[in-house]
Amino acid sequence: MKIVKALLAAGAILALTLLPTRAVTPDDTLVMASQIDDVITLDPAEVFEFSAAEMVGNSYERLIGYDLDDVSDIFGVVAESWEVSEDGKTLTFTVRQGKTFASGNELTAEDVVFSLQRALKLDLSPAFILTQFGFTADNVEEKIVQTGDYEFTFEMDQAYAPTFVLYCLTSTVASVVDKDLVLEHEVDGDLGHEWLKRNHAGSGPFAIRQWRPNEAVVMERNEHYEPEVPLARVIYQHVPESSTQRLMLEQGDIDIARDLGPEELQALEQLDGIKIQSGVKGGLYYLGLNQKNEYLSKPEVRQALKYLVDYDAIADTIMEGLAEVHQSFLPTGLLGSVEDTPFSLDVERAKELLAEAGLAEGFSITMDTRNTSDITGMGEAIQQTFAQAGIDLQLIPGDGAQTLTKYRAREHDIYIGRWGPDYQDPHTNADTFAANPDNSDDAAAKPLAWRNAWDIPELTKKTQSAILETNTEERARVYEGLQREVMDRGPFVIMFQEIEVMAMQDNVNNFIIGPSFDSNEFGEASKD
Amino acid sequence: MSSVNSGYEGGGRTRALFSGLGAIGRVLSMVAITILGLLAVTFFISRVVPIDPVLAVVGDRAPPHVYERVREEMGLHLPVWQQFAIYVTNVLSGDLGTSVLTSRPVAQDIARYFPATLELATLGTLIGTVLGVPLGVLAAVRRGHFIDHLVRVVGLVGYSAPIFWLGLLGLLVFYANLGWVGGPGRLDISYEYMLTPVTGMVLVDAALTGDWAVFRNAISHIVLPASLLGYFSLAYISRMTRSFMLNELSQEYIITARVKGVSEQRIIWGHALRNALVPLITVIALSYAHLLEGSVLTETVFAWPGLGRYITNSLQNADMSAVLGGTLVIGVVFVAINILSDLLYRLFDPRTR
């Protein structure tokens, strides 16, 4: 009996600790559950990860911005105006007056010039977006020069298409950092890099106050930002599991759940007080067909495989609102994007093409498949449709880093991947899908065309000439031509464009899901 | 790890002292060898897994010259044995390296994540032991009766149900439907910034500063994951207790005690359990160690920033300084728990003294 009593007592103690804790987030605080373990740095000169890019996008400003509903509409943010020189090689920017960093320091041309020079001198992963214009760590001090308190010049090595230059300046690497604040924390000439990895020195609507890796990122209103920011605080809480995110949203512990699967979204859609918001992003899902493989190097086989994917069924049943069919390498919204979808599941046509290639009996091949539910689901669906034409597709599941390592070494047969633009200009994708300057194993540049061993000297020239086309309409036509060529004979089965979907409390207003991963904006968001 | 001291008879104090020092020396050298071996195996495994560690730093888009520069900065161009030698030298000088995923020194990461795990696992083991041992004893005493079957079923479910699924189910019932407990995470957002970390264990820190609102909130968050881990170890501990008890209850000294008229309660709790405790300590220690390093799934479901998830995440991105640092801590914990159970052995078993 003593035991039973002891057990009862223990139970009672335990029960006492179970307190009702139905929480509501404060009115001036937006709490998001999100998978933020991809954040490895917060320095805009280094940031290239989805979550960190969004944080930088909302806490720093760039020279140029674009309309989130119509990417073709470019306007100045930190830049008030700009002029292009007669030879087309130099841009002179006038910096907008009256902008203030979160530190209280005024933003001037000195900060802008420092920021661009800093990104080039540090030469970290995203710096290539700026080196495309002929800048190097050594020449940048002569090429990007302050000419007044609110004026500076930007001298390139060639007369690049102005749209190309301006779109590159909308990317996070071109964010303006607070020179005085950053240099206060400089150690051994690192331009404040070690410090800025974990801190903030921007002029955007929010200031990043705290980053606790794998736990949370806390952002607070920049009191100097104009117009006034409605929310006092935005918190990203790291919640790796999507089912957990759903429960927390239902309970009111968070305002927005960021990483929900189709099932969770369907369930939440039915609930009162919760709304679903979505936006088309630039990410593309595609199959990369390695041209080192004897079967895949045949043009008929590449064509046949494009007829062996049930695009609509995958979009409707596996992705369920998280992707739409898209078959060209430029996502909808980018200059010159081709919207045609010439391929659909056509097993008979695929069989004819395979017969033309002398493979009427089919063949066996492998596909490296990342072990996330979306990619695995797609892989299994493709396996079934390939089998209808006699192709035995073996899926090799693997972790993200593992499959990517193999892909980058060109050791795959087929790789099922996802590619997002680095900036909002068409060159970002053309340069990877339709250019391969050197197909040798030790090539310096290794774009997607190289990873799939697609040797295309002519197409590479066309791609490289498109960035010098100053007439925007003509430029768009060049990209249309490139997309159709890749669609027709390229080693890429481009299938879907990604849609970002989030579920939120219906009192959250003005949260904007932009077209790129750094353009989800909450500077005007509020709760009522 | 156990070193039974029986090497001398009636010798002087000096001999005893030397023998004691020898035992400590033996233990220490074994600890050193164990940990070095552990590090070596982890290090070499990390170098043969087909994941490129540079990718975790520079991402997929970095130009080749940036990739090469970072590769050299990480020392990956050196021969593997040289990389290992550098690592061990650094560890010996107290430098565990920097995690590429968090941009923080690994030691600082561990100081943040280990207390979170320690808090959860300790509470889990406490729950498992406090409930598991009496249940196991009851099952043995009432062998074949209802309570015995019940314990067996409870144990079976704890053994076989995926902890991930049980966690989600627990959240659904106690957090979403009944609203009895706090949600995932260690504290409510509104309490997150009220606490200054001292030990890193929220419960302890809240108690130390006398902040009882935070303490209650922390309890409401930890109770579900800790009970889940507790249930998991309860399943194991109760089964083992039952079998140890059955073994003890069939011994002759029990019959002797009964013949002598000792009360049944005293026979069970005073004699049988006391003897069963010796092997049981090992079981509880192992279960504790397991919870300290193997709660990855629980930590994932409950968004608990613990060491298990840290190591797993680092491993998946080939962030080797972090993996090795974590392994080192787990290794030390295992050794410490082993030593502790050895000491407890001596306390409970006069034969080992």
Side-chain angles (χ1 to χ4, degrees):
Chain A
M1 278 320 281
K2 273 186 190 166
I3 306 300
V4 179
K5 276 182 196 163
L7 283 178
L8 281 176
I13 292 167
L14 206 63
L16 277 177
T17 62
L18 303 176
L19 305 164
T21 49
R22 202 163 285 255
V24 176
T25 59
D27 283 343
D28 60 354
T29 303
L30 184 77
V31 184
M32 292 188 267
S34 184
Q35 292 165 359
I36 54 162
D37 49 359
D38 63 333
V39 181
I40 56 171
T41 174
L42 294 170
D43 185 341
E46 189 178 25
V47 161
F48 226 159
E49 296 71 37
F50 292 120
S51 308
E54 180 178 306
M55 291 159 194
V56 167
N58 284 284
S59 60
Y60 287 84
E61 291 180 294
R62 287 148 294 278
L63 278 172
I64 309 293
Y66 55 85
D67 186 341
L68 298 183
D69 294 324
D70 176 10
V71 178
S72 66
D73 182 12
I74 303 179
F75 50 80
V77 179
V78 168
E80 188 168 47
S81 61
W82 56 90
E83 277 176 24
V84 184
S85 66
E86 266 186 32
D87 65 359
K89 287 186 179 177
T90 306
L91 279 88
T92 305
F93 286 96
T94 305
V95 173
R96 204 178 290 277
Q97 297 190 25
K99 283 203 170 287
T100 312
F101 289 106
S103 65
N105 294 338
E106 193 198 355
L107 188 160
T108 65
E110 194 180 342
D111 297 296
V112 182
V113 169
F114 170 76
S115 306
L116 295 173
Q117 290 183 351
R118 179 179 180 271
L120 284 154
K121 285 179 187 168
L122 289 175
D123 198 17
L124 301 164
S125 299
F128 77 89
I129 296 174
L130 298 174
T131 58
Q132 295 182 111
F133 306 109
F135 302 122
T136 62
D138 298 327
N139 74 10
V140 66
E141 285 190 20
E142 290 97 60
K143 299 291 180 185
I144 301 177
V145 181
Q146 187 185 353
T147 51
D149 284 350
Y150 297 97
E151 196 185 87
F152 72 96
T153 54
F154 186 92
E155 188 192 337
M156 306 173 289
D157 62 344
Q158 292 190 71
Y160 294 99
T163 43
F164 176 44
V165 186
L166 296 173
Y167 278 124
C168 285
L169 291 176
T170 67
S171 66
T172 48
V173 71
S175 297
V176 183
V177 303
D178 186 338
K179 181 181 175 184
D180 291 343
L181 183 61
V182 168
L183 288 183
E184 266 175 39
H185 297 93
E186 185 176 35
V187 178
D188 299 333
D190 74 343
L191 297 171
H193 176 54
E194 279 305 315
W195 178 79
L196 201 54
K197 269 182 172 182
R198 310 191 46 82
N199 289 283
H200 173 253
S203 61
F206 290 91
I208 302 170
R209 286 289 173 235
Q210 205 181 14
W211 165 37
R212 283 177 299 176
N214 302 326
E215 286 183 69
V217 168
V218 181
M219 299 171 81
E220 279 172 8
R221 174 164 56 206
N222 170 7
E223 299 292 347
H224 302 285
Y225 189 82
E226 285 178 11
E228 197 186 328
V229 182
L231 289 169
R233 202 170 294 107
V234 172
I235 298 172
Y236 289 84
Q237 194 179 351
H238 179 54
V239 181
E241 175 50 35
S242 62
S243 320
T244 311
Q245 290 193 7
R246 172 188 159 187
L247 288 177
M248 293 176 82
L249 185 72
E250 285 179 9
Q251 288 309 101
D253 277 337
I254 55 168
D255 298 302
I256 305 183
R258 298 290 301 266
D259 309 283
L260 301 172
E263 278 175 23
E264 281 108 11
L265 286 164
Q266 270 175 3
L268 287 167
E269 222 164 12
Q270 320 292 329
L271 294 181
D272 285 340
I274 285 173
K275 63 181 177 186
I276 309 286
Q277 194 176 321
S278 63
V280 179
K281 306 298 270 192
L284 299 173
Y285 289 97
Y286 72 97
L287 305 183
L289 314 176
N290 193 345
Q291 297 304 288
K292 287 187 170 184
N293 181 285
E294 53 168 329
Y295 303 123
L296 301 175
S297 63
K298 293 175 191 279
E300 299 86 357
V301 172
R302 296 201 294 269
Q303 275 266 331
L305 297 188
K306 291 172 190 177
Y307 285 109
L308 284 176
V309 175
D310 196 345
Y311 302 89
D312 292 328
I314 295 176
D316 293 344
T317 56
I318 294 167
M319 297 307 284
E320 284 185 276
L322 295 175
E324 60 185 27
V325 178
H326 187 88
Q327 295 176 349
S328 68
F329 70 68
L330 287 184
T332 306
L334 257 62
L335 178 74
S337 168
V338 167
E339 302 296 322
D340 303 354
T341 51
F343 302 105
S344 56
L345 180 65
D346 187 343
V347 179
E348 289 314 310
R349 177 85 187 103
K351 281 182 175 167
E352 283 169 27
L353 285 161
L354 289 175
E356 282 174 33
L359 291 165
E361 300 301 311
F363 55 90
S364 278
I365 199 125
T366 64
M367 178 156 83
D368 289 285
T369 311
R370 194 177 175 165
N371 55 10
T372 55
S373 61
D374 54 345
I375 297 284
T376 306
M378 276 186 211
E380 285 166 356
I382 292 166
Q383 186 180 40
Q384 284 179 16
T385 45
F386 274 22
Q388 292 176 28
I391 299 174
D392 173 26
L393 179 69
Q394 293 158 22
L395 303 182
I396 306 177
D399 185 62
Q402 191 186 342
T403 52
L404 186 61
T405 303
K406 193 173 169 191
Y407 185 40
R408 287 169 61 97
R410 306 206 278 196
E411 286 166 359
H412 64 296
D413 288 341
I414 301 179
Y415 174 79
I416 177 163
R418 176 170 163 266
W419 184 267
D422 295 328
Y423 45 91
Q424 290 298 304
D425 187 83
H427 184 64
T428 179
N429 277 13
D431 200 32
T432 199
F433 283 99
N436 185 8
D438 175 4
N439 197 36
S440 63
D441 280 345
D442 52 357
K446 295 176 177 174
L448 293 185
W450 178 87
R451 288 187 199 173
N452 290 290
W454 192 34
D455 200 8
I456 38 167
E458 288 305 313
L459 211 59
T460 305
K461 272 185 212 150
K462 269 193 217 172
T463 298
Q464 284 166 349
S465 69
I467 51 175
L468 298 173
E469 178 53 65
T470 50
N471 181 317
T472 306
E473 280 179 22
E474 186 51 40
R475 197 168 171 236
R477 266 200 292 282
V478 177
Y479 286 112
E480 282 170 20
L482 287 170
Q483 286 168 87
R484 289 189 200 286
E485 230 175 308
V486 172
M487 209 185 249
D488 185 46
R489 64 186 182 92
F492 303 106
V493 184
I494 298 168
M495 305 179 290
F496 308 104
Q497 182 167 349
E498 188 186 355
I499 299 176
E500 182 170 8
V501 186
M502 41 185 98
M504 56 183 81
Q505 308 291 351
D506 62 6
N507 66 345
V508 177
N509 300 314
N510 299 328
F511 189 103
I512 302 168
I513 304 180
S516 66
F517 51 83
D518 56 3
S519 62
N520 289 336
E521 290 189 0
F522 42 80
E524 292 173 20
S526 63
K527 287 162 71 178
D528 56 32
Chain B
M1 199 66 37
S2 172
S3 51
V4 180
N5 191 354
S6 55
Y8 66 95
E9 279 173 37
R13 278 170 182 273
T14 324
R15 276 173 65 192
L17 181 68
F18 274 119
S19 172
L21 283 178
I24 293 172
R26 275 200 303 279
V27 169
L28 283 182
S29 56
M30 264 175 99
V31 168
I33 292 169
T34 308
I35 287 174
L36 192 69
L38 189 67
L39 282 183
V41 170
T42 316
F43 192 89
F44 291 110
I45 286 177
S46 78
R47 288 293 174 264
V48 295
V49 291
I51 298 176
D52 184 352
V54 185
L55 281 184
V57 188
V58 299
D60 186 24
R61 312 294 172 90
H65 71 276
V66 175
Y67 176 91
E68 283 305 325
R69 190 182 66 214
V70 171
R71 198 178 135 79
E72 281 192 24
E73 279 168 11
M74 294 172 78
L76 293 168
H77 60 299
L78 300 171
V80 175
W81 63 267
Q82 209 172 333
Q83 292 178 36
F84 185 63
I86 293 173
Y87 180 77
V88 172
T89 317
N90 287 343
V91 169
L92 289 177
S93 64
D95 177 12
L96 293 181
T98 301
S99 157
V100 295
L101 293 181
T102 67
S103 303
R104 275 197 304 205
V106 171
Q108 214 174 318
D109 276 346
I110 289 171
R112 174 83 199 165
Y113 301 128
F114 184 63
T117 295
L118 188 66
E119 195 170 34
L120 192 60
T122 308
L123 207 57
T125 305
L126 269 177
I127 295 174
T129 309
V130 167
L131 298 179
V133 173
L135 278 177
V137 173
L138 274 183
V141 174
R142 303 257 187 280
R143 189 179 179 187
H145 286 72
F146 172 74
I147 186 84
D148 189 19
H149 295 306
L150 187 73
V151 169
R152 196 174 303 159
V153 171
V154 166
L156 200 65
V157 174
Y159 253 69
S160 48
I163 203 156
F164 190 78
W165 177 80
L166 275 184
L168 277 176
L169 197 70
L171 274 176
L172 193 67
V173 174
F174 297 107
Y175 163 64
N177 284 332
L178 298 172
W180 287 1
V181 299
R186 298 175 79 185
L187 283 170
D188 278 3
I189 286 288
S190 43
Y191 289 108
E192 276 281 349
Y193 308 100
M194 291 170 60
L195 196 66
T196 323
V198 184
T199 63
M201 288 181 274
V202 177
L203 285 175
V204 178
D205 289 351
L208 284 178
T209 52
D211 197 334
W212 299 111
V214 174
F215 186 81
R216 275 198 301 275
N217 189 261
I219 284 275
S220 80
H221 279 266
I222 202 173
V223 71
L224 190 57
S227 303
L228 192 71
L229 291 183
Y231 178 44
F232 189 65
S233 58
L234 175 150
Y236 181 49
I237 291 172
S238 64
R239 277 178 69 121
M240 297 312 280
T241 309
R242 177 181 179 276
S243 91
F244 294 147
M245 280 299 283
L246 284 178
N247 183 38
E248 292 301 328
L249 288 172
S250 64
Q251 300 289 323
E252 285 182 355
Y253 72 86
I254 297 290
I255 300 169
T256 314
R258 284 201 176 115
V259 170
K260 282 167 73 182
V262 179
S263 79
E264 196 61 20
Q265 294 292 342
R266 200 171 147 67
I267 288 175
I268 294 166
W269 302 103
H271 293 284
L273 182 62
R274 182 160 171 108
N275 283 315
L277 267 182
V278 178
L280 204 53
I281 287 166
T282 314
V283 167
I284 294 170
L286 280 178
S287 157
Y288 186 39
H290 176 70
L291 292 193
L292 278 171
E293 52 98 24
S295 320
V296 186
L297 294 177
T298 313
E299 287 172 6
T300 304
V301 177
F302 290 91
W304 200 267
L307 193 65
R309 218 177 78 200
Y310 176 67
I311 297 178
T312 310
N313 198 23
S314 306
L315 195 61
Q316 282 169 349
N317 288 285
D319 182 357
M320 283 333 292
S321 297
V323 173
L324 289 166
T327 310
L328 190 68
V329 171
I330 298 293
V332 170
V333 164
F334 259 84
V335 170
I337 288 178
N338 265 310
I339 292 176
L340 191 72
S341 60
D342 267 12
L343 292 176
L344 286 175
Y345 255 52
R346 287 165 189 238
L347 197 71
F348 286 105
D349 188 350
R351 287 168 299 182
T352 59
R353 276 175 212 154

